[in-house]
Amino acid sequence: MTSQQQVERPDLDALFADLAHPNPHLQTQAYLAMVDHWPNESMPRLISLLDQPDVSLRRAAVRGLGAFGATALQPLAELFEASTDGTVRASCVKAYAQIASNYPDQTFSPASMAVLEKALSDDSPVVSQSAVMALGQVGVQALPLLIQICKGDNIAHVQSAAMALAEIPDPSAEACLREVLADSSTDPLCRQMVEASLGRLESSR
């Protein structure tokens, strides 16, 4: 590393101070600089912030981890499995959603998909609902799970899965929505969401 590069490398503690700043633009600049200049040092520190009582800082850490892409998948999976704290588990799942959103072409590892599947039946409704949203971001790779959820009996999950399926250009996604709509036992609220999702799917053609 040249002396010029060393001068240009931002101070890591200063970046974490910016991450704690209420300005979301500053937060974004901070975590992107962490990815560029301090990837190995910053990721463990970001992960350690997922139990933060400060909601703004915790959300900034989730967004920050989302910028790391596939390299953050395994550390987040390990934390999810080890944590008894629903807030931490929800933050891990939300970070997965961020990774999927930021890197749509990256494949999620089997361990990461197993975390999202396990999260669906988590005792915390925040964790389980976050898992459905994350699977929606994962998209085609999550199609079998989303179809399973859409045919389930958790109304909130069915509604989220239906919205996600409408965004996936795959014949099995549409087939699932039509099957749920045709089922006379489908909850009226779910039917309404499935119908709207089918309408959105058709209008996007």
Side-chain angles (χ1 to χ4, degrees), residues 15-16 18-20 24-36 38-39 42-50 55-73 76 91-92 94-100 102-103:
L15 292 177
F16 272 91
D18 283 348
L19 190 76
H25 180 64
L26 261 184
Q27 291 175 351
T28 303
Q29 285 184 317
Y31 66 67
L32 291 178
M34 290 177 198
V35 174
D36 287 341
W38 299 96
S42 59
M43 193 193 296
R45 282 181 67 172
L46 286 170
I47 285 174
S48 74
L49 293 174
L50 296 184
V55 178
S56 173
L57 181 54
R58 191 170 68 241
R59 284 179 180 159
V62 165
R63 286 172 60 225
L65 287 162
F68 280 84
T71 56
L73 292 174
L76 286 165
S91 295
C92 291
K94 288 173 183 177
Y96 273 5
Q98 290 284 329
I99 292 167
N102 292 334
Y103 299 93

Side-chain angles (χ1 to χ4, degrees), residues 194-204:
V194 168
E195 211 165 1
S197 296
L198 273 169
R200 212 161 65 249
L201 205 155
E202 286 161 4
S203 66
S204 66

Side-chain angles (χ1 to χ4, degrees), residues 13 26-27 35 58 65 70-71 81-82 86 90 102 125-126 142 148 157 159-160 169-170 173 175 178 183 189-190 205:
D13 290 333
L26 261 184
Q27 291 175 351
V35 174
R58 191 170 68 241
L65 287 162
T71 56
E81 295 291 355
N102 292 334
V126 178
Q148 184 184 312
H157 288 190
Q159 290 179 314
S160 297
D170 188 286
R178 294 200 181 281
D183 186 343
L189 279 174
C190 294
R205 285 177 182 148

Side-chain angles (χ1 to χ4, degrees), residues 69-92:
T71 56
L73 292 174
Q74 189 55 34
L76 286 165
E78 289 168 7
L79 178 61
F80 179 92
E81 295 291 355
S83 181
T84 57
D85 184 332
T87 299
V88 171
R89 293 197 305 277
S91 295
C92 291

Side-chain angles (χ1 to χ4, degrees), residues 129 132-133 136 146 155-165 193:
Q129 188 62 28
V132 184
M133 307 298 278
L146 287 168
I155 294 173
H157 288 190
V158 171
Q159 290 179 314
S160 297
M163 284 193 290
L165 287 169
M193 181 56 74

